[in-house]
Amino acid sequence: GAGVSQSPSNKVTEKGKDVELRCDPISGHTALYWYRQSLGQGLEFLIYFQGNSAPDKSGLPSDRFSAERTGGSVSTLTIQRTQQEDSAVYLCASSFGDLNTEAFFGQGTRLTVV
Amino acid sequence: GNSVTQMEGPVTLSEEAFLTINCTYTATGYPSLFWYVQYPGEGLQLLLKATKADDKGSNKGFEATYRKETTSFHLEKGSVQVSDSAVYFCALSEVGGTSYGKLTFGQGTILTVHP
């Protein structure tokens, strides 16, 4: 596609429910990143994929968070048993994975846990 | 670990004023440095970058110089416009290990430009 696509753009869920957030990276981009943007915390790194493997999961805040990437393309971030503190904008970015290459960001998914 | 410190905002300027947003970093090795911008209702987009010491990144009238001796990457523009109103993020990129290309961001600076 022309850019990084994320869906849904907005998600309201009840506390305790599971949610899945989807990211479609730019075709051919081998590297994919998830970030979280929240008030007071700024932009936080969550996880990095190179192809289908995730060499860096250090930013996942708890074991309720998981992510996978299939076919070297689409990625899904899953949050189980959502809590109110999970409310944030979840951003996905992709790049060619070279040292100085630009990362292109999606519009994000705004998650609200009520 | 790596970190980025940005001047706190918000910053409010009149059109045609001079802009500086300070950014300093702490990093192991030699990271690449970036400024990203988020316009209202839009996603993050790259504004400019510099990949080694003394490099100057520039775009849309904005400039920033990679200063290794002061570990800084301050953003400047000589004459801002209303359309520059946005949130600006300074960031550095990991250059190796398991986190290749991972970005560490500053807190962001909200810029509002009035006519």
Side-chain angles (χ1 to χ4, degrees), chain A residues 12-68:
Chain A
V12 180
T13 190
E14 292 181 352
K15 179 180 170 181
K17 300 284 189 185
D18 297 352
V19 294
E20 284 190 353
L21 312 180
R22 176 187 168 105
C23 173
D24 255 296
I26 292 172
S27 178
H29 279 186
T30 57
L32 185 148
Y33 310 82
W34 283 97
Y35 295 87
R36 181 168 70 173
Q37 186 175 21
S38 54
L39 286 175
Q41 297 297 322
L43 271 157
E44 305 171 277
F45 166 79
L46 297 178
I47 187 169
Y48 156 57
F49 286 94
Q50 180 61 37
N52 290 337
S53 63
D56 189 350
K57 306 178 183 179
S58 63
L60 295 178
S62 75
D63 59 8
R64 296 187 296 105
F65 288 71
S66 63
E68 65 175 11

Side-chain angles (χ1 to χ4, degrees), chain B residues 57-98:
Chain B
S58 61
N59 186 25
K60 299 182 180 180
F62 291 88
E63 292 183 340
T65 301
Y66 191 143
R67 299 288 188 201
K68 184 168 175 287
E69 63 276 14
T70 54
T71 61
S72 64
F73 193 55
H74 305 321
L75 183 68
E76 296 183 336
K77 186 174 186 182
S79 176
V80 293
Q81 306 300 312
V82 172
S83 57
D84 294 326
S85 298
V87 184
Y88 292 81
F89 293 92
C90 185
L92 66 81
S93 173
E94 305 267 345
V95 297
T98 59

Side-chain angles (χ1 to χ4, degrees), chain A residues 21 41 55 63 65 68 74 82 84 86 96 99 104 110 112:
Chain A
L21 312 180
Q41 297 297 322
D63 59 8
F65 288 71
E68 65 175 11
V74 172
T82 52
Q84 287 187 331
D86 299 335
F96 285 114
L99 173 60
F104 291 84
R110 181 176 296 279
T112 304

Side-chain angles (χ1 to χ4, degrees), chain B residues 10-14 81-82 84-86 110-114:
Chain B
V11 175
T12 302
L13 296 172
S14 297
Q81 306 300 312
V82 172
D84 294 326
S85 298
I110 300 172
L111 171 66
T112 303
V113 180
H114 292 297

